[in-house]
Each structure stands twice: as structure tokens, then as C-alpha cells.
């Protein structure tokens, strides 16, 4: 397997008791947190190359505890120290405070704390991690938790099942898992299991021998062989036909594949990541998905939160998308009206981040003024009519919307997907869900 990327360990030694949000924010930014309770015996273990910062909670530590912390930290004079102090820091007159580089009065500004930690860590930055995490923006609690989980799962050489609604960033997450894994510099091969006709899928995944079927004029390597030593990302795994499921199980159990038209096993070393927006448990119950394969794939799980559950992120992402669009295109729009921001907040975002990105880009081009309005975003002032359009995923409305969009687009799936601002795969999925057969409707 490939050598591990040098991502350097970054650790905060928290003298006190960090809260859940503090821990998760630090973890999402790549910091391990070690709580050292002053009343308990502890040592500060440090290894060469690690970045370690001490954080002393003056708010909760007694004088005698601070004395102990002072003794502990004195043994590591090169370790930078930060201080969490009470709201009125005049109360703290402890000599240890003068050893602290920075003070954060209560309630601490956690973003500033992270920035300062970043500066300390800049001597041995973790560029791969930072680049990768920049592809999964979001400061909401659910996103911080997701990024912290992603970091934990990335280096573990086991399959990960990524779940989440359409457009929530499953593919981006798969790529991030790969990049942050020891296989990060090896090949990454992605395939959408629902988009390839089932007759071609086996050959696409596992390759074929010359003459294996009509049209197989030469031997061909499949995706698993090309990805050897790297990662295979199987998108929409729920759509994998049963015969391919059997072959995939073999990869997971034995680490071998067979090309179509051959019974010679070939050893492959790949990590498998899979994504699904369908309920695989249900597919298993209904006999559409092998139970044994499901258990093999579902060892580690990463769940991508829907945009409507990501408090504050709509604002952050809409600004980010507009700003990055501005650097590439000459457009007038440079911000949003208050009403547009409110409409975005209220909207249900059935297509999640992808839909937000699409709407922002379209609005940025069509807007006449410097500020994008809710009309530019095609969101009614109060967000409701549009939300009802596909939104809320309430079944009846969803079916009606789908039907009407299909009719408007003359049953052309691509056109319908554009109209609904979702992917083609989603249109197919919705058709199945609502038992609408395109051939019949046409
Ligand atoms: N947190 C994020 N920050 C920035 N961009 C994001 C984020 N999440 C998703 N995106 C962007 O949104 C788009 C959709 O993401 P992606 O294709 O990974 O979603 P998906 O969950 O795989 O969707 P689908 O189920 O339809 O395949 C991409 O353009 C991606 O770059
Ligand atoms: Mg996808």
C-alpha cells in the first residue's frame, strides 16, 4: 500500500473540561483534544513532529490545580500555552497567565481560538488536510461532526458507506476520504452504478477478455484493476445489479476479481467506498440487495446532513459560491438582498448544496442589480411556493411536481432534471418511487 501522507499530528492539551461543541470544532479542524483534569495525575506525552498546544482553563481551575498545571507545563517550555479566562480577566492574577501567549475571555470566541491555533500549527502545516476540508465547507454543528467523523474514518482501511440525500456532497466526501487516507496519492476511480446499463457494468467494473461477448474485440482492464492500490468509489450502490453484487462480495471477501470471459482470479488491493441515497436496509428486506454484501459495506458509515438541517451554512455557502463565481466571471452581482437571504433560509433545498450552487450561479448571471433578489434566485418572496414545488418531499406534492415537470419537458429526463434542479439519477429514482414508467407515459 502507499505510504501515509505526512499530515502531522496536531493536539490540544486541554487543562480542564472541554465542552462537546468545543471538542467537535477542534476535531473538525484537525486537532485531537486531550483533556487533562488537574486533579488527576497526568503526563504530557509529545512526539517529534507533533504540534501540541496547551490550553489552560483558568475559569474552572483552583489555585492548587493551577500550581500543578504550572509544574506540568514547565517541563515542556517550548509548548505554546493559551488561556481561557473568566469574563472579567482582572480576577486572574496567577503567574501562570504570563506564560500564556493568548487569552480568550469568557465566552471564548472559538473561531478566533481556531485561527490562533492554526497560526501555531503553521510551522508544520497539514496542507493536504486543509485543501481537502476546504471542499466540504460548513460551520454548522452537524457539518463539524461530519468532518470530525470523516477524519476518523479516512485512515482506516475498511469500506465506508456514505449516505445522504441528493446533492449533499457524498461524492466530495468520498474523494476527501480517499485523499486523507494512506492511499491518497494512489488512483481514485468512481463509478455510478445506476448510470451504466447492467449488461455493461460487470465488464466496466471487472474488465473482460477478448471475445468474452460480441463486440469485445480486445482484452480490457476494469475499474478495479485500474484502481489497484487505490480506492474505488461505487456511487448509487443500491442500483448495483445482483450479479455484480456477487462479484463485489468476492472482492471484499477474497480480494480478487475475474474478468468477464475468464475464470482466472486476479488479486486487487482496493479500498471500497460506496454511496447511496436509498434505504439499503429496505432494499435488503425486499431482496434487491444482498444482505451479506450490505454487512460488509456497512462497517463504517458517514452520513451527509441535508442543507436544511445545517444552521447558518446556507448563508456561508451562498456567499462562498457567489464570491468564487465572481473571480471567474465578470458579473455585477456582489451580494444578496435581505429578502433573498431570508428566502434562502426558509427554502427547503430538496437538491441540497448542488441546488444552492446552481441557483446562485444562474441568479448571478441573470441579476440586473448588484444585489441578487429572491426573484433572481427563482425563490418566491417567502420561499413557500417553490418549497412546495418539489420541496418538503411530501409525497403527493412530489409526485405532482414530477409529473408536471416531466410533461413540461416532454418526458426528456435531462430536461426534466434541469427543470427540477436535481440530477438525472434523482429523476429516475423519483420515477421509480412514484411508480411512473417513462416508456408508458411517453
Ligand atoms: N460542503 C460543501 N461545500 C462546498 N461545496 C459542496 C459541499 N457539498 C457539496 N458541494 C458541491 O455540491 C455539488 C454536489 O455535491 P456531490 O456531487 O458530492 O453530491 P452527492 O451527494 O454526490 O449528490 P447525488 O446524490 O445527486 O449524486 C458539487 O458541486 C459539490 O462540489
Ligand atoms: Mg453523487
Amino acid at each position: 500500500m502507499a505510504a501515509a501522507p505526512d499530515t502531522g499530528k496536531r493536539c490540544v492539551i486541554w487543562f480542564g473540561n472541554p465542552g462537546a461543541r468545543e471538542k467537535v470544532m477542534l476535531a473538525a479542524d484537525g486537532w485531537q483534544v486531550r483533556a487533562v483534569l488537574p486533579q488527576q495525575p497526568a503526563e504530557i506525552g509529545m512526539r517529534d513532529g507533533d504540534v501540541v498546544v496547551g490550553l489552560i482553563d483558568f475559569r474552572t481551575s483552583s489555585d492548587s490545580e493551577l500550581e500543578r498545571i504550572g509544574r506540568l507545563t514547565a517541563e515542556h517550555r517550548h509548548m505554546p500555552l493559551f488561556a481561557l479566562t473568566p469574563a472579567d480577566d482582572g480576577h486572574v492574577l496567577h503567574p501562570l497567565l504570563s506564560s500564556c501567549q493568548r487569552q480568550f475571555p469568557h465566552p471564548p470566541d472559538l473561531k478566533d481560538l481556531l485561527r490562533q491555533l492554526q497560526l501555531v500549527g503553521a510551522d508544520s502545516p497539514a496542507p493536504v488536510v486543509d485543501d481537502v476540508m476546504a471542499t466540504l465547507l460548513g460551520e454548522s454543528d452537524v457539518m463539524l461532526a461530519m468532518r470530525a467523523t470523516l477524519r476518523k474514518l479516512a485512515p482506516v482501511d475498511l469500506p465506508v458507506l456514505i449516505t445522504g440525500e441528493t446533492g449533499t456532497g457524498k461524492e466530495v466526501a468520498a474523494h476527501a476520504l480517499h485523499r486523507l487516507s494512506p492511499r491518497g496519492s494512489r488512483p481514485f476511480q468512481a463509478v455510478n452504478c445506476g448510470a451504466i446499463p447492467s449488461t455493461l457494468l460487470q465488464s466496466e467494473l471487472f474488465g473482460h477478455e477478448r471475445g468474452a461477448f460480441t463486440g469485445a474485440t480486445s482484452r480490457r482492464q476494469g475499474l478495479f484493476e485500474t484502481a489497484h492500490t487505490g480506492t474505488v468509489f461505487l456511487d448509487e450502490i443500491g442500483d448495483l445489479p445482483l450479479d455484480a453484487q456477487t462479484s463485489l462480495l468476492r472482492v471484499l471477501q477474497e480480494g480478487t476479481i475475474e474478468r468477464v470471459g475468464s475464470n482466472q482470479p486476479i488479486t486487487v488491493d482496493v479500498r471500497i467506498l460506496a454511496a447511496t441515497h436509498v434505504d439499503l436496509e429496505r432494499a435488503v428486506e425486499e431482496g434487491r440487495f444482498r444482505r451479506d454484501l450490505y454487512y460488509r459495506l456497512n462497517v463504517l458509515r458517514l452520513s451527509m446532513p441535508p442543507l436544511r438541517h445545517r444552521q447558518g451554512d446556507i448563508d456561508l455557502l451562498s456567499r462562498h459560491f457567489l464570491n468564487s463565481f465572481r473571480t471567474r466571471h465578470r458579473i455585477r452581482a456582489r451580494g444578496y438582498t435581505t429578502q433573498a437571504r431570508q428566502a434562502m433560509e426558509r427554502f427547503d433545498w430538496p437538491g441540497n448544496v448542488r441546488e444552492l450552487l446552481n441557483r446562485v450561479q444562474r441568479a448571478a448571471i441573470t441579476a440586473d442589480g448588484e444585489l441578487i433578489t429572491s426573484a433572481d434566485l427563482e425563490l418566491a418572496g417567502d420561499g413557500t411556493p417553490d418549497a412546495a414545488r418539489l420541496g418538503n418531499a411530501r409525497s403527493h406534492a412530489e409526485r405532482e411536481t414530477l409529473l408536471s415537470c416531466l410533461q413540461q419537458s416532454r418526458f426528456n429526463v435531462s430536461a426534466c432534471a434541469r427543470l427540477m434542479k436535481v440530477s438525472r439519477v434523482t429523476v429516475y429514482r423519483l420515477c421509480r418511487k412514484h411508480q411512473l414508467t417513462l416508456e408508458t407515459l411517453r
Side-chain angles (χ1 to χ4, degrees):
M1 199 202 296
D6 182 18
T7 50
K9 218 185 214 173
R10 308 195 295 171
C11 182
V12 168
I13 302 202
W14 191 301
F15 297 95
N17 215 350
R21 180 165 169 86
E22 292 157 341
K23 272 201 260 191
V24 86
M25 274 190 87
L26 286 162
D29 238 35
W31 293 92
Q32 292 185 5
V33 185
R34 257 190 62 208
V36 172
L37 295 171
Q39 61 277 24
Q40 284 168 2
E43 279 195 55
I44 304 170
M46 237 192 259
R47 271 183 310 206
D48 271 0
D50 289 356
V51 181
V52 181
V53 181
L55 188 66
I56 303 173
D57 195 343
F58 283 86
R59 300 168 302 178
T60 51
S61 309
S62 67
D63 275 356
S64 64
E65 286 168 346
L66 287 173
E67 211 170 293
R68 252 198 86 238
I69 297 170
R71 280 201 301 276
L72 271 173
T73 53
E75 293 162 18
H76 299 276
R77 293 204 176 276
H78 51 285
M79 175 172 75
L81 292 176
F82 288 1
L84 294 173
T85 53
D88 177 1
D89 59 3
H91 291 317
V92 180
L93 287 169
H94 199 277
L96 192 51
L97 198 61
S98 59
S99 316
C100 295
Q101 275 184 16
R102 301 259 328 172
Q103 297 182 25
F104 299 87
H106 188 77
D109 177 346
L110 291 178
K111 288 222 173 111
D112 187 36
L113 175 63
L114 287 173
R115 261 196 307 276
Q116 299 303 327
L117 283 171
Q118 204 68 36
L119 290 180
V120 174
D123 289 341
S124 55
V128 182
V129 179
D130 293 346
D131 284 359
V132 171
M133 286 308 174
T135 62
L136 279 171
L137 297 174
E139 295 300 328
S140 54
D141 287 357
V142 279
M143 276 303 274
L144 292 176
M146 188 284 294
R147 283 206 300 269
T149 308
L150 192 151
R151 274 170 179 285
K152 278 192 208 144
L153 304 189
V156 185
D157 207 30
L158 285 171
V160 180
L161 184 63
I162 308 167
T163 58
E165 293 177 14
T166 182
T168 46
K170 296 187 292 296
E171 183 154 1
V172 186
H175 207 245
L177 283 167
H178 167 71
R179 288 282 311 280
L180 297 182
S181 79
R183 298 170 183 266
S185 56
R186 315 299 303 186
F188 176 83
Q189 294 285 349
V191 64
N192 186 329
C193 305
I196 297 176
S198 55
T199 45
L200 295 182
L201 193 64
Q202 284 271 9
S203 142
E204 184 74 24
L205 296 178
F206 307 109
H208 62 247
E209 294 294 337
R210 184 171 171 202
F213 46 85
T214 330
T217 50
S218 59
R219 161 190 280 190
R220 184 173 171 233
Q221 281 200 338
L223 208 83
F224 276 85
E225 271 183 86
T226 332
H228 183 58
T229 70
T231 305
V232 167
F233 172 48
L234 300 170
D235 206 353
E236 312 297 358
I237 185 96
D239 292 337
L240 199 66
L242 281 164
D243 57 343
Q245 289 180 27
T246 310
S247 310
L248 180 59
L249 188 65
R250 184 187 177 125
V251 180
L252 286 161
Q253 282 176 337
E254 293 159 33
T256 60
I257 56 150
E258 275 172 16
R259 295 195 187 127
V260 177
S262 155
N263 48 18
Q264 193 72 39
I266 300 171
T267 304
V268 287
D269 167 22
V270 288
R271 183 187 193 189
I272 293 170
L273 306 176
T276 179
H277 59 250
V278 299
D279 186 355
L280 273 189
E281 280 94 345
R282 210 168 110 197
V284 169
E285 292 309 320
E286 291 169 0
R288 285 180 288 113
F289 203 83
R290 291 183 66 127
R291 186 178 298 273
D292 44 8
L293 178 60
Y294 171 66
Y295 287 137
R296 284 267 172 177
L297 289 172
N298 191 28
V299 183
L300 306 175
R301 212 172 165 125
L302 184 69
S303 137
M304 305 301 292
L307 188 55
R308 63 187 165 279
H309 292 169
R310 293 170 50 177
Q311 184 122 51
D313 284 352
I314 294 169
D315 197 46
L316 179 142
L317 287 170
S318 58
R319 282 173 209 267
H320 168 80
F321 289 149
L322 181 58
N323 288 340
S324 76
F325 197 68
R326 277 169 63 80
T327 61
R328 286 174 286 130
H329 303 275
R330 284 173 58 106
I331 50 165
R332 273 194 80 197
R334 55 173 182 80
Y336 300 91
T337 63
T338 311
Q339 191 212 24
R341 291 222 308 274
Q342 287 168 352
M344 283 193 282
E345 262 336 302
R346 268 194 299 265
F347 188 53
D348 219 47
W349 300 107
N352 293 293
V353 184
R354 182 185 296 108
E355 181 178 9
L356 178 64
L357 175 66
N358 289 348
R359 280 188 192 258
V360 166
Q361 293 189 341
R362 216 173 23 245
I365 296 165
T366 54
D368 294 322
E370 288 198 334
L371 295 183
I372 289 173
T373 64
S374 50
D376 296 328
L377 289 160
E378 296 171 43
L379 295 174
D382 61 1
T384 38
D386 251 55
R389 236 181 50 187
L390 171 60
N392 296 341
R394 304 287 175 266
S395 214
H396 181 69
E398 189 178 77
R399 190 173 198 278
E400 292 298 302
T401 307
L402 176 64
L403 253 179
S404 123
C405 290
L406 278 170
Q407 275 157 359
Q408 282 177 55
S409 57
R410 300 184 184 192
F411 304 99
N412 175 310
V413 174
S414 301
C416 176
R418 274 196 298 278
L419 206 59
M420 293 175 78
K421 300 175 190 75
V422 298
S423 68
R424 292 178 64 233
V425 176
T426 302
V427 174
Y428 283 119
R429 174 171 60 86
L430 290 173
C431 285
R432 274 202 301 277
K433 174 174 166 191
H434 296 290
Q435 297 177 341
L436 298 172
T437 320
L438 283 169
E439 290 74 25
T440 321
L441 289 168
R442 280 180 190 132

